[in-house]
Amino acid sequence: MDMLAWSAVELAAKIKQKEVTVKEAVDAIFSRIEEKEKDLNCYVTLEKEKALKKAEEVQKKIDDGTLTGALAGVPVAVKDNMCTEGILTTCSSKILSNFIPTYNAEAVSALERAGAVMIGKTNMDEFAMGSTTETSAYGETKNPWNENHVPGGSSGGSAAAVAAGECFFALGSDTGGSIRQPASFCGVVGMKPTYGTVSRYGLIAYGSSLDQIGPLTKNVEDCAAVMEIIASHDKKDSTSLKREDTDFTSALKEDVKGLRIGIPRDYFGDGLDGEVRAAVLAAADALKEQGAVVEEFDLSLVEYAIPAYYTIASAEASSNLERFDGVKYGYRTEQFEGLHHMYKKTRSEGFGAEVKRRIMLGSFVLSSGYYDAYYLKALRTKALIKKAFDQAFEKYDMILGPVAPTTAPGLGKSLSDPLKMYLGDIYTISVNLAGLPGISVPCGKDQKGLPVGLQLIGDCFGEKKLLRAAYTYEKMRGDFGIPAFGKGE
Amino acid sequence: MANVISDETIEYVGILAKLELSGEEKEQAKKDMGRMLDYIDKLNELDTTGVEPMSHVFQVQNVFREDVVTNGDDSENIVKNAPEEKDGMFVVPRTVE
């Protein structure tokens, strides 16, 4: 019995049927972690004792019928930018190296109420700024498919942990592709929900108007099950939406007949790797065979998404990260002369290069004399990009394309040229600007054996359509496997 | 490179950003920022006359509530996170002589 090859939903069902216990599941995960973690570094913090204690509590509640949900008893990993009560939360930054939150992020509370067992906090790019998980102050995470490659980012630890069997599912956050891109690079499913669907309460903010929490899972069914649990209206998040349609698992049907799918020509131009293109177009053909109506169209404005995004995200980051000043929590420099010097020195020593780069850029574009030319210009561009999507969704139920232009780059290849790294976000970033939902589903491997992801983008509130198409595709594709386990049992 | 960032600009942005950059970091920041702004200048190709800046995709309204404490007093644990605390307060370097 190789429990680790089971999906989260399968595991929960077997726990309910008393084939395995919650403790056995947690033990299996920790022996896997012991075996793989020294090579992969998926986690910043592991909480074995707490997890085992929790397992006992959850088992009792499952046995007495209080916990009956689809993920009760399942071990979960949480990205280290979500607050966890009494558990270190670092954002993979030195400046939060000793921060112990006094409360849980709402998404974490939701999982807890559903009986999921949190086993640790996953590694990420510092403050979610990066596309490789190499900007972490706690070492890079490696891609479980090939340890010479990055797992993607910023939710690289979460994606790698799911792919390596070091957890059954994970939470990530997506500001410009940070769930979908690592999911693609690690061969797992990742969803960025419509903005406002999952509460951001307790998510340490990067770009508040763009950030969304979402699941990283082994398959589409797990993705829908997690979505159903974490989507909720929350008074503690003023941008939280009231949605009635969060019964996401009802969308798990093999049926794409008549579904109108648009393929933006602009997503298949220069810069797209040939093997990625072939895998993604093959997936489109597969959906067509099942009765979807697939056609090409011009989305337009694609090349303006990255400059608009980096202006807006950096501006918001410079404001959001002002709170890290060495007073209320986290790191404080040792030697200083007066209050302002303490602030500056603390921040300069506490933040890494990429974070400082974005704070500087953000401060500049918001500064007097440049605010209109840069920041407002970017917000106007955002309005045009949103309009381009609105027009596309008048004709199509969803948009299909690649997640990233290439498969996972080699370790150490990306950080020397930040702008080039930013260009890798071209297919994911506009989804955040327009507040749309997007899902990444594995659709093939390149010659090196590295996974390729298929991206489906929906109109606002279109998650169910995305899940239905992704589920249909996944059933046709067959098992993708996880590294070292090969095909699931 | 079209955007040349002066020493003065980097100094000024450093003050706004509350960052103290080393000489080497400043030089790198000048290069990085110039290159990013060159790239961002691409947005000027777009005619955005009459387009309202969109900060949020959905209509966002202020959410009001009564000013009543609902989450209890956790001040003891909260100040525990401070680098320095005294009698339930955050300690900062002296600011008034």
Side-chain angles (χ1 to χ4, degrees):
Chain A
M1 178 179 72
D2 210 338
M3 205 191 301
L4 296 181
W6 295 344
S7 72
V9 169
E10 280 169 344
L11 174 68
K14 301 212 187 229
I15 290 171
K16 203 182 279 179
Q17 291 152 13
K18 302 202 187 298
E19 283 181 45
V20 286
T21 64
V22 182
K23 184 180 181 303
E24 281 167 349
V26 173
D27 282 338
I29 284 294
F30 276 97
S31 23
R32 179 72 175 159
I33 285 171
E34 234 157 77
E35 179 195 337
K36 298 298 291 180
E37 187 59 5
K38 60 181 185 308
D39 297 325
L40 298 178
N41 192 36
C42 301
Y43 289 90
V44 176
T45 303
L46 285 160
E47 289 285 0
K48 190 173 180 179
E49 270 171 43
K50 280 184 182 150
L52 285 169
K53 192 164 160 271
K54 193 79 190 172
E56 218 173 286
E57 290 169 31
V58 167
Q59 184 73 56
K60 269 186 206 145
K61 286 187 185 165
I62 292 172
D63 292 345
D64 71 16
T66 349
L67 273 176
T68 56
L71 296 173
V74 180
V76 57
V78 173
K79 187 176 182 180
D80 210 19
N81 60 352
M82 286 170 233
C83 287
T84 43
E85 189 180 346
I87 295 171
L88 189 68
T89 298
T90 70
C91 274
S92 286
S93 180
K94 180 181 172 188
I95 211 160
L96 283 179
S97 52
N98 53 7
F99 173 54
I100 315 269
T102 57
Y103 64 95
N104 275 330
E106 182 55 27
V108 172
S109 296
L111 286 180
E112 211 160 78
R113 286 192 296 271
V117 179
M118 205 200 57
I119 51 169
K121 304 294 292 291
T122 54
N123 199 16
M124 53 187 277
D125 281 295
E126 186 182 5
F127 284 103
M129 299 178 194
S131 315
T132 64
T133 313
E134 292 173 299
T135 70
S136 167
Y138 306 104
E140 69 236 10
T141 296
K142 289 171 183 140
N143 192 314
W145 293 88
N146 182 331
E147 289 166 21
N148 296 317
H149 290 257
V150 301
S154 65
S155 311
S158 288
V162 174
E166 289 192 37
C167 64
F168 281 88
F169 71 100
L171 291 186
S173 66
D174 192 316
T175 307
S178 282
I179 290 174
R180 290 160 287 153
Q181 184 256 36
S184 169
F185 286 1
C186 290
V188 300
V189 173
M191 177 171 251
K192 183 249 162 212
T194 304
Y195 184 79
T197 300
V198 180
S199 169
R200 290 183 296 110
Y201 178 75
L203 171 69
I204 297 173
Y206 158 24
S208 312
S209 75
L210 308 161
D211 297 339
Q212 242 331 254
I213 292 171
L216 289 119
T217 59
K218 292 178 179 180
N219 62 29
V220 178
E221 185 185 25
D222 283 3
C223 178
V226 179
M227 280 293 296
E228 210 160 282
I229 286 165
I230 61 175
S232 72
H233 175 66
D234 182 10
K235 283 184 184 161
K236 300 187 294 305
D237 171 1
S238 61
T239 57
S240 170
L241 296 171
K242 269 188 189 134
R243 289 183 65 170
E244 307 291 331
D245 61 337
T246 55
D247 55 331
F248 297 109
T249 51
S250 71
L252 298 172
K253 292 183 188 122
E254 287 179 67
D255 177 18
V256 291
K257 273 190 198 71
L259 203 70
R260 297 161 304 161
I261 300 178
I263 301 184
R265 283 189 201 95
D266 347 32
Y267 276 27
F268 290 83
D270 289 344
L272 178 64
D273 176 84
E275 288 184 272
V276 173
R277 171 201 304 266
V280 171
L281 289 177
D285 283 342
L287 285 165
K288 203 170 173 179
E289 270 168 38
Q290 295 298 303
V293 181
V294 182
E295 63 181 46
E296 291 184 7
F297 77 108
D298 294 311
L299 179 60
S300 84
L301 300 177
V302 172
E303 72 264 42
Y304 300 103
I306 296 177
Y309 171 86
Y310 278 93
T311 305
I312 294 168
S314 298
E316 292 185 13
S318 72
S319 169
N320 276 324
L321 271 60
E322 273 175 12
R323 69 193 65 179
F324 303 105
D325 56 5
V327 173
K328 303 173 294 297
Y329 31 64
Y331 171 81
R332 176 187 283 188
T333 187
E334 281 170 20
Q335 304 281 327
F336 49 84
E337 287 156 31
L339 184 65
H340 283 274
H341 189 231
M342 189 277 284
Y343 290 153
K344 287 178 92 169
K345 209 156 160 256
T346 293
R347 290 163 60 80
S348 303
E349 292 168 8
F351 292 136
E354 183 60 31
V355 173
K356 287 191 227 180
R357 190 177 290 131
R358 294 196 198 184
I359 292 176
M360 290 289 284
L361 181 66
S363 302
F364 179 80
V365 298
L366 289 177
S367 67
S368 166
Y370 297 101
Y371 180 84
D372 285 8
Y374 288 105
Y375 183 63
L376 289 185
K377 181 78 184 180
L379 290 184
R380 291 191 169 95
T381 306
K382 174 180 167 168
L384 294 178
I385 289 170
K386 170 73 177 152
K387 206 169 139 196
F389 275 111
D390 286 347
Q391 283 165 354
F393 290 121
E394 281 170 15
K395 284 195 292 184
Y396 304 109
D397 293 301
M398 66 188 65
I399 292 169
L400 178 152
V403 178
T406 64
T407 55
L411 287 166
K413 301 272 189 228
S414 306
L415 296 189
S416 58
D417 189 348
L419 184 56
K420 196 174 157 208
M421 180 172 82
Y422 302 161
L423 296 179
D425 301 336
I426 185 153
Y427 309 128
T428 47
I429 234 158
S430 48
V431 171
N432 299 75
L433 288 172
L436 308 170
I439 190 168
S440 170
V441 186
C443 70
K445 295 186 190 101
D446 70 4
Q447 282 183 343
K448 290 187 209 154
L450 291 165
V452 177
L454 163 75
Q455 181 174 217
L456 300 172
I457 300 167
D459 198 358
C460 290
F461 314 114
E463 282 91 345
K464 280 189 188 171
K465 277 184 192 170
L466 296 185
L467 288 164
R468 179 153 61 92
Y471 184 76
T472 307
Y473 170 71
E474 187 184 63
K475 288 285 169 198
M476 289 160 58
R477 182 205 65 200
D479 199 344
F480 198 74
I482 55 175
F485 285 99
K487 296 235 163 216
E489 284 167 47
Chain B
M1 195 158 73
N3 285 282
V4 178
I5 308 297
S6 65
D7 290 332
E8 291 74 28
T9 303
I10 282 294
E11 283 298 328
Y12 176 60
V13 175
I15 292 168
L16 294 176
K18 288 255 181 295
L19 288 171
E20 185 183 69
L21 303 183
S22 70
E24 202 182 314
E25 279 181 317
K26 273 181 204 162
E27 285 311 307
Q28 191 60 46
K30 276 159 68 178
K31 265 189 239 160
D32 287 346
M33 201 186 286
R35 209 165 152 227
M36 260 325 267
L37 292 177
D38 284 349
Y39 184 55
I40 290 171
D41 281 342
K42 192 175 172 55
L43 296 180
N44 293 328
E45 295 169 12
L46 284 176
D47 182 6
T48 52
T49 320
V51 179
E52 280 296 305
M54 179 188 261
S55 42
H56 273 276
V57 172
F58 302 114
Q59 286 278 326
V60 198
Q61 281 166 348
N62 268 328
V63 178
F64 293 102
R65 61 167 172 79
E66 291 305 311
D67 189 14
V68 179
V69 177
T70 54
N71 57 348
D73 177 8
D74 209 4
S75 55
E76 202 178 311
N77 284 322
I78 289 167
V79 290
K80 260 192 214 162
N81 270 305
E84 202 182 341
E85 57 119 348
K86 194 183 171 191
D87 304 331
M89 291 181 282
F90 300 117
V91 176
V92 295
R94 181 184 291 273
T95 53
V96 185
E97 292 297 333

